[in-house]
Amino acid sequence: MSVPAIVSGLAGGEREVDAERRRRREACRVRGSVRVAVVGGGVAGLSAACDLRALGAKVVIIEDRDVRETPSWVAAGLIEPVAGTQDRAGMQRELAAFERSMQVWRAVAASGSPFISRRRVLTVCATSRPPLPWADAVEGFRPVARGEVPARYVDGDAASFSTYVVETSRWLMATRARLARDGVRFVRARVEALDQVTEHVGPVDGIVNASGLGAARLAKDPTLFRGDGHIVRVRPTAGVHDVFMDETRAPEDVAADPYAVNMLYIIPRRHDIVIGGTLWDSPNVDGVPQRLPGMGEHLRALAAEVEPRLARAPILEYLVGARPRRRAGVRVELQADGAVPVAHLYGQGGSGWTLAPGLAEQAVGLLADATWARRVA
């Protein structure tokens, strides 16, 4: 569910958001049949489509592959604060998106959704770090004493907090089905340029570009690159309920050894446990990451060093995916110099699920104000 679908369950500080949304919805109604194309059917594109439908816009989603081949499908779905854009404005935008997304996922969990669960997280870093700007946005954030971490991590800096884990594949399929019932049309096509969108779906009033790595082609963005990742899904194991994140490993390790794991995580979900992984940067945006023989077993063995009960957990599936990383960080920006205004929404890297609701709301707001909303302001 996206922000608009659950906003009625939020209160207090949400009133200004509700008022702005009502203004945009009324503008859409007054103008008539506003039609928007969303390029990309991952979590960002679907979240934007949900927001657009809540505003009353007609929506068509263009996707160039099956949803099961997207990074959103492979992702573990941990709603976790991560380091992103380094410039001050970008950091502020991502922090606002994270805070908004946490409100959304918290409300989804409170609604009793079967697609999300609350988890305690233990994260360990190599060295101490300054106070984190997102600490107030998560529940129960606190530094962790050495006696509370596995013995091999006693020299690191650890913290604990509570967050949410989304059942990614189930959420994607359920949301697609809900959007289809709501009149959203899905079109399978490879679009070579944004000005060709209308050739595939007919006239539109606006475009949301949530195409991930495809934005290298569609937006002519040379700063995009792949962040390849490997995960293994194992069966749920009795007693393993908390998330563990090892952030002590050196990122450069993977360059020398493809089996080196420069980020280890254990993420229990309702129907499986996701173990990862790697963040192996590739200069290419096309193609898919290379599958490595025995990598699934290798990841399970590393996880068992932290949580021995995972040593014999049956492997369900070994997956590889490509995160859409961008050197300049996330792009949420309006481009209004063409025949149709475009709201760009891409470059989230490994934070797609974490930031999707908040960034989608920002992108849809930009598009609405640039098209139908401003015409009746």
Side-chain angles (χ1 to χ4, degrees), residues 122 124 142-160 244:
L122 174 63
V124 184
R142 67 179 180 86
V144 172
R146 291 186 176 185
E148 299 178 67
V149 300
R152 63 177 294 175
Y153 296 103
V154 294
D155 293 330
D157 185 54
S160 178
F244 177 78

Side-chain angles (χ1 to χ4, degrees), residues 43-44 47 71-72 75-85 94-95 97-98 101 105 134 227 263 279 322-326 329-330 345-360:
V43 61
S47 295
S72 295
L78 177 67
I79 310 305
E80 183 222 7
V82 294
T85 307
E94 290 181 24
L95 178 59
F98 174 67
S101 293
W105 294 122
W134 49 259
M263 51 185 297
L279 181 56
R323 306 173 182 92
R325 286 164 61 78
R326 185 171 182 262
V330 175
L345 171 58
Y346 64 85
Q348 297 94 323
S351 304
W353 285 91
T354 292
L355 298 176
L359 291 179

Side-chain angles (χ1 to χ4, degrees), residues 11-264:
E14 303 307 306
R15 290 174 183 169
E16 292 184 5
V17 174
D18 281 343
E20 183 64 17
R21 184 171 293 111
R22 282 194 296 270
R23 181 182 71 82
R24 289 170 176 155
R25 187 187 302 117
E26 179 64 14
C28 183
R29 186 190 68 78
V30 169
R31 185 176 173 215
S33 55
V34 171
R35 192 164 184 265
V36 178
V38 176
V39 184
V43 61
L46 294 180
S47 295
C50 289
D51 279 5
L52 287 162
R53 284 300 299 132
L55 293 179
K58 295 180 179 179
V59 180
V60 56
I61 296 175
I62 307 173
E63 48 192 355
D64 64 356
R65 70 195 71 183
D66 189 283
V67 68
R68 289 166 289 193
E69 299 173 359
T70 65
S72 295
W73 186 276
V74 177
L78 177 67
I79 310 305
E80 183 222 7
V82 294
T85 307
Q86 297 302 310
D87 68 276
R88 188 175 186 83
M91 291 177 66
Q92 290 176 341
R93 179 187 62 241
E94 290 181 24
L95 178 59
F98 174 67
E99 291 173 340
R100 182 66 177 141
S101 293
M102 280 297 293
Q103 292 174 346
V104 170
W105 294 122
R106 186 179 295 119
V108 172
S111 73
S113 169
F115 307 127
I116 191 167
S117 54
R118 190 171 184 268
R119 295 285 187 237
R120 193 72 187 165
V121 179
L122 174 63
T123 178
V124 184
C125 299
T127 58
S128 61
R129 52 190 176 184
L132 301 173
W134 49 259
D136 291 337
V138 297
E139 300 171 7
F141 178 87
R142 67 179 180 86
V144 172
R146 291 186 176 185
E148 299 178 67
V149 300
R152 63 177 294 175
Y153 296 103
V154 294
D155 293 330
D157 185 54
S160 178
F161 58 90
S162 291
T163 187
Y164 301 93
V165 177
V166 182
E167 308 286 326
T168 53
S169 60
R170 289 172 168 81
W171 186 94
L172 289 167
M173 296 306 290
T175 301
R176 289 170 65 88
R178 179 166 61 85
L179 286 169
R181 291 193 301 269
D182 197 30
V184 173
R185 188 160 65 98
F186 290 81
V187 173
R188 180 71 61 85
R190 178 180 169 87
V191 180
E192 296 298 331
L194 290 173
D195 59 10
Q196 297 177 5
V197 165
T198 56
E199 297 177 12
H200 296 278
V201 300
V204 295
D205 298 283
I207 298 171
V208 175
N209 175 23
S211 58
L213 288 169
R217 176 181 75 255
L218 297 176
K220 297 180 174 58
D221 190 338
T223 70
L224 278 163
F225 60 97
R226 279 187 357 222
D228 296 352
H230 300 252
I231 69 163
V232 62
R233 295 173 51 241
V234 303
R235 288 194 183 280
T237 301
V240 181
H241 303 293
D242 294 342
V243 173
F244 177 78
M245 305 288 294
D246 174 2
E247 301 179 82
T248 66
R249 298 165 187 259
E252 61 271 13
D253 287 348
V254 174
D257 177 8
Y259 285 87
V261 173
N262 58 8
M263 51 185 297
L264 177 67

Side-chain angles (χ1 to χ4, degrees), residues 230 257-260 278 280 289-297 318 320:
H230 300 252
D257 177 8
Y259 285 87
T278 56
W280 192 355
Q290 178 185 3
R291 294 175 63 88
L292 300 175
M295 187 61 160
E297 291 80 3
Y318 161 54
V320 295

